[in-house]
Amino acid sequence: MKKALMTCLAVTALFAIASSATAITCTLDQRPAATLLVPYFQVSIDPITGGIVSSGGLARDTIVTIVNASAAPMIAHVNVYNRFSEIKLDFNVALSGFDVQAMRMADIISGSLPTTLNSDGDDVCQGGANIVYVLGASPIANRNGYLRVSPLSPATVQDNSNGTTNYGSTPYFSIAEDLATDCDGVVGPLAFGYVAIDHANYCNLSDPTDPAYYFNDAIGMENNLFGEIIFTSGNGLPTYGISTVNLEADASFSDARLVEQGGGLPVRTFYARYVGTDVLCTNCGSGDPDTDLDLSAPWDEGYGDTREPLGLRWAARWFDLRDPVVGDVITSNFQVWRSSPTTDTVDGICVDNEPLSTLTFWDEDERTVTQGVCPSPCTTPQFNFPYETQQKNIRKFVHPLGIGVVAGWVELDFLNLGSGDVLDQAWAGYSFEGNIALESVLIGGTQLDPSSCNPLLVTGIQVITPVIDQAGGPLSNIPGPGTGR
């Protein structure tokens, strides 16, 4: 009994230490987080057959890596969306302490998923006849510490009996063609979408679009995940990588959520468009660890998703150097992810128009071209980022041109007070791509909003003060795992 108690205390300390590194919420910083956003992925497919194109100069693929920065084992819940924010696939990944899991998106969208076996060869998300994952079921098995919460009810009715969908030896689905089809039914050469990866308190078959994902504590709160995204091509040009977009969980969002429950203003969080004002969690008390020691655990405090949101204003660089003989010497692409509650697909209806954005291009001599939602005279034609994820080349935009004009920067403003929503958010990245080796790079954009929780000019939301976590806080104030969990 004493040995079991000491083990629990040691694991609790590990969680606290691993999650206490200095961080600032309401702005992106490069540190482990509770949710990883892969804002864009691409896989080449054959528009005729719908099959994956795995080789040759035109082949494109994306490698996503998930890393557990903690000594404690974790469950990562992976959610794959198409360009319209329709979720197409979700699954669990088991990460032992300090573990790394890499996934080719060509494999994922073909149905070849990572296993959830631990180092002993046991499936931590069941899959075996005598393994039951969620506490409260019989027999009780915690599979070496992956479980964080014993919910009063699991997120889905299957979670107590089988926390991983049994896809069989031959996958029965392939979503490649679906990911490549636009609103007009046209199948393009690239299957593309985005991925959100959450820490999960237990293996589950739910997803962020389901209120039970939050209400029944499927989503976890540990800031221990990080990763990278690597874009590859059949001929090696371009091949480049970037960090995942790391979104921290912060229990201070819980107090704001409580105010919202009482009829207050909405709270900008990453999953706010899915959480709604009526979604709490059933067994995490008031969110105050000082008064709910028997209910709250240090890794799961509060209501809703508690994830920091993304902002609405971004800065990116651009290059556009062409040669009449060899073609592009160096060019740029913009990767843009958007989240707009007013334009999501609803009941299968395909909506492809995001609120208009405003783009202001400068060259290196400060010559300016502006397009979008801006005072007259705006440059025409107007161009928008119409999907919730996409990649667009610099030549799609009206930008400064002329002899010697080959580079500059752009402000991408996704605030639209006319047709937007206070919960809108976005991310932007940019690439430099050349026709020789070592000339390609992908870079995350620079956040221009001082606070992504309270973007400039956005009203009608709760004011959230950015929280700075202090490293090395005292462990004596950390509550232990409660008996009511």
Side-chain angles (χ1 to χ4, degrees):
M1 182 70 179
K2 181 181 292 186
K3 182 178 180 180
L5 176 61
M6 291 303 295
T7 300
C8 288
L9 292 176
V11 171
T12 300
L14 282 172
F15 294 156
I17 294 172
S19 298
S20 62
T22 302
I24 304 175
T25 54
C26 298
T27 188
L28 285 181
D29 42 13
Q30 197 71 6
R31 55 108 48 207
T35 287
L36 308 180
L37 173 66
V38 178
Y40 177 82
F41 71 83
Q42 60 183 18
V43 175
S44 290
I45 72 163
D46 187 324
I48 305 301
T49 66
I52 300 293
V53 179
S54 58
S55 62
L58 297 180
R60 296 286 188 271
D61 200 357
T62 309
I63 301 172
V64 176
T65 303
I66 313 170
V67 185
N68 177 9
S70 167
M74 300 180 69
I75 294 294
H77 192 83
V78 181
N79 309 281
V80 181
Y81 299 80
N82 66 8
R83 74 188 81 182
F84 311 113
S85 280
E86 295 174 322
I87 192 161
K88 293 300 176 182
L89 171 67
D90 67 283
F91 57 93
N92 301 293
V93 173
L95 299 168
S96 57
F98 308 123
D99 197 5
V100 178
Q101 175 68 63
M103 307 174 293
R104 292 178 66 245
M105 290 307 299
D107 293 336
I108 297 302
I109 67 175
S110 299
S112 179
L113 307 180
T115 68
T116 50
L117 299 179
N118 63 16
S119 57
D120 297 327
D122 296 320
D123 191 337
V124 302
C125 291
Q126 298 140 60
N130 298 316
I131 300 176
V132 176
Y133 192 78
V134 179
L135 291 180
S138 180
I140 295 175
N142 189 10
R143 286 299 160 199
N144 300 328
Y146 288 86
L147 185 66
R148 298 296 191 267
V149 167
S150 175
L152 299 180
S153 299
T156 67
V157 295
Q158 297 95 339
D159 294 342
N160 257 345
S161 59
N162 192 13
T164 297
T165 300
N166 182 14
Y167 294 114
S169 57
T170 301
Y172 65 84
F173 65 90
S174 175
I175 59 174
E177 186 170 352
D178 179 59
L179 287 167
T181 304
D182 65 17
C183 274
D184 296 325
V186 177
V187 179
L190 285 177
F192 65 92
Y194 68 93
V195 181
I197 303 166
D198 304 315
H199 169 238
N201 287 319
Y202 54 91
C203 292
N204 66 92
L205 304 179
S206 184
D207 64 73
T209 67
D210 178 10
Y213 195 63
Y214 316 95
F215 193 87
N216 291 356
D217 273 339
I219 190 170
M221 304 296 171
E222 294 173 26
N223 292 316
N224 290 323
L225 298 174
F226 71 96
E228 71 263 355
I229 313 154
I230 302 172
F231 294 90
T232 65
S233 65
N235 58 13
L237 292 174
T239 293
Y240 43 57
I242 192 174
S243 170
T244 52
V245 180
N246 302 343
L247 303 168
E248 299 153 40
D250 188 334
S252 64
F253 284 106
S254 298
D255 294 335
R257 289 282 296 150
L258 284 173
V259 172
E260 184 180 6
Q261 291 288 322
L265 296 174
V267 182
R268 283 176 53 86
T269 62
F270 182 68
Y271 286 132
R273 60 173 167 170
Y274 299 131
V275 174
T277 58
D278 58 344
V279 178
L280 301 176
C281 55
T282 55
N283 57 336
C284 59
S286 68
D288 183 354
D290 295 327
T291 59
D292 290 326
L293 296 183
D294 60 331
L295 292 176
S296 295
W299 53 83
D300 185 33
E301 300 168 7
Y303 299 88
D305 63 310
T306 72
R307 270 30 175 204
E308 63 182 335
L310 292 166
L312 289 168
R313 289 176 174 83
W314 296 87
R317 290 268 283 123
W318 61 269
F319 271 98
D320 187 11
L321 178 58
R322 317 171 194 181
D323 183 274
V325 178
V326 301
D328 287 339
V329 177
I330 188 168
T331 187
S332 291
N333 286 317
F334 299 111
Q335 290 184 3
V336 168
W337 176 90
R338 306 182 66 177
S339 169
S340 303
T342 56
T343 59
D344 287 350
T345 54
V346 179
D347 297 329
I349 299 173
C350 190
V351 180
D352 64 349
N353 293 319
E354 290 287 327
L356 278 175
S357 53
T358 299
L359 282 69
T360 303
F361 286 87
W362 287 269
D363 67 12
E364 292 177 315
D365 291 315
E366 295 81 51
R367 287 182 286 255
T368 305
V369 173
T370 301
Q371 55 201 292
V373 184
C374 53
S376 179
C378 267
T379 303
T380 57
Q382 293 184 351
F383 180 86
N384 195 32
F385 292 98
Y387 303 126
E388 298 220 348
T389 187
Q390 58 254 286
Q391 177 170 277
K392 299 295 181 183
N393 186 263
I394 180 66
R395 295 188 184 176
K396 295 287 186 180
F397 308 90
V398 180
H399 60 286
L401 292 173
I403 298 175
V405 180
V406 298
W409 74 283
V410 57
E411 177 181 341
L412 304 100
D413 188 346
F414 299 97
L415 174 67
N416 189 316
L417 297 177
S419 60
D421 187 275
V422 295
L423 299 181
D424 288 359
Q425 54 185 324
W427 176 90
Y430 58 99
S431 66
F432 302 148
E433 296 183 10
N435 54 16
I436 61 174
L438 305 179
E439 201 175 57
S440 295
V441 63
L442 178 62
I443 303 169
T446 298
Q447 176 180 308
L448 295 181
D449 275 312
S451 167
S452 58
C453 297
N454 305 98
L456 294 171
L457 302 181
V458 175
T459 60
I461 57 175
Q462 286 191 53
V463 176
I464 304 294
T465 302
V467 174
I468 303 176
D469 294 336
Q470 299 299 318
L475 298 180
S476 59
N477 294 331
I478 298 175
T483 57
R485 304 300 297 175

